[in-house]
Amino acid sequence: MSKSIDSPITKLPPSVMQGAVFYSKQSGVTSNQPHRLIVMNVDPQGDEIVVLTIISSKVLSTVDRVKKQKEDRATAVDVPKILYGRIGLVECDSIINCNEYKRSTREEFLEISKRPGALMMKRIPEELLQKLINGMKLSKQVKPVIKKMVGAI
């Protein structure tokens, strides 16, 4: 989908980069709890959509779902509190299912980011980002166009 020359392109704040963590107190993404999403695009400023992975505290059910889907275990990336709690990323042992992601237009992302209680947090550590990229690369459910946007191919 291309934009006409006269239509404005929605600009995202410079803090929206690959690996940036978005926190929202608003419910509704996957549960009624506050949630943390990680921006996965290599170039979220230039892509039409923003690809977001979701941090979940439902470790066991996520691992079971990945097994049932016959996906590689590496597509479910552990986010242990002992490693990532100190930087405020998680409050308990958590997991990210790289087979599931949220797609958002830049406009939708900006609208959500302006809601009360929403904020951009620090960027995740590089080693965690690389595990997420690898998880998306290994996933049979992530479409090639999305893999390209996140740098997995």
Side-chain angles (χ1 to χ4, degrees):
M1 177 167 100
S2 64
K3 301 244 180 214
S4 73
I5 294 173
D6 296 332
S7 74
I9 296 175
T10 302
K11 298 256 186 200
L12 296 173
S15 60
V16 180
M17 64 180 78
Q18 187 177 44
V21 180
F22 173 73
Y23 175 82
S24 176
K25 290 184 180 178
Q26 299 270 142
S27 61
V29 171
T30 58
S31 73
N32 290 329
Q33 301 297 315
H35 50 274
R36 289 172 176 84
L37 306 167
I38 300 173
V39 176
M40 291 302 300
N41 304 60
V42 171
D43 182 17
Q45 305 294 334
D47 292 339
E48 287 291 318
I49 62 164
V50 180
V51 178
L52 303 158
T53 56
I54 303 164
I55 300 174
S56 172
S57 60
K58 298 176 183 173
V59 176
L60 295 178
S61 63
T62 299
V63 171
D64 286 345
R65 192 165 54 254
V66 166
K67 285 180 185 175
K68 285 178 187 171
Q69 294 171 339
K70 296 184 171 48
E71 287 284 357
D72 190 307
R73 174 59 175 88
T75 64
V77 177
D78 293 303
V79 186
K81 179 182 178 186
I82 196 164
L83 292 178
Y84 301 108
R86 68 186 177 333
I87 61 170
L89 183 59
V90 293
E91 296 164 358
C92 61
D93 287 341
S94 299
I95 196 162
I96 299 168
N97 185 348
C98 295
N99 303 296
E100 299 171 359
Y101 53 91
K102 179 173 174 42
R103 295 170 44 144
S104 175
T105 65
R106 288 185 290 212
E107 292 82 5
E108 291 167 337
F109 186 79
L110 275 176
E111 181 183 311
I112 294 167
S113 70
K114 291 178 182 175
R115 291 181 184 165
L119 61 102
M120 289 300 293
M121 298 171 64
K122 294 179 182 175
R123 192 171 182 265
I124 61 172
E126 186 64 29
E127 72 271 4
L128 179 57
L129 177 60
Q130 290 306 315
K131 287 179 183 180
L132 296 176
I133 293 169
N134 186 57
M136 292 186 90
K137 179 180 182 177
L138 293 172
S139 176
K140 296 175 232 157
Q141 297 174 54
V142 177
K143 295 178 181 177
V145 67
I146 300 296
K147 289 182 181 188
K148 186 174 182 181
M149 285 181 174
V150 305
I153 56 172

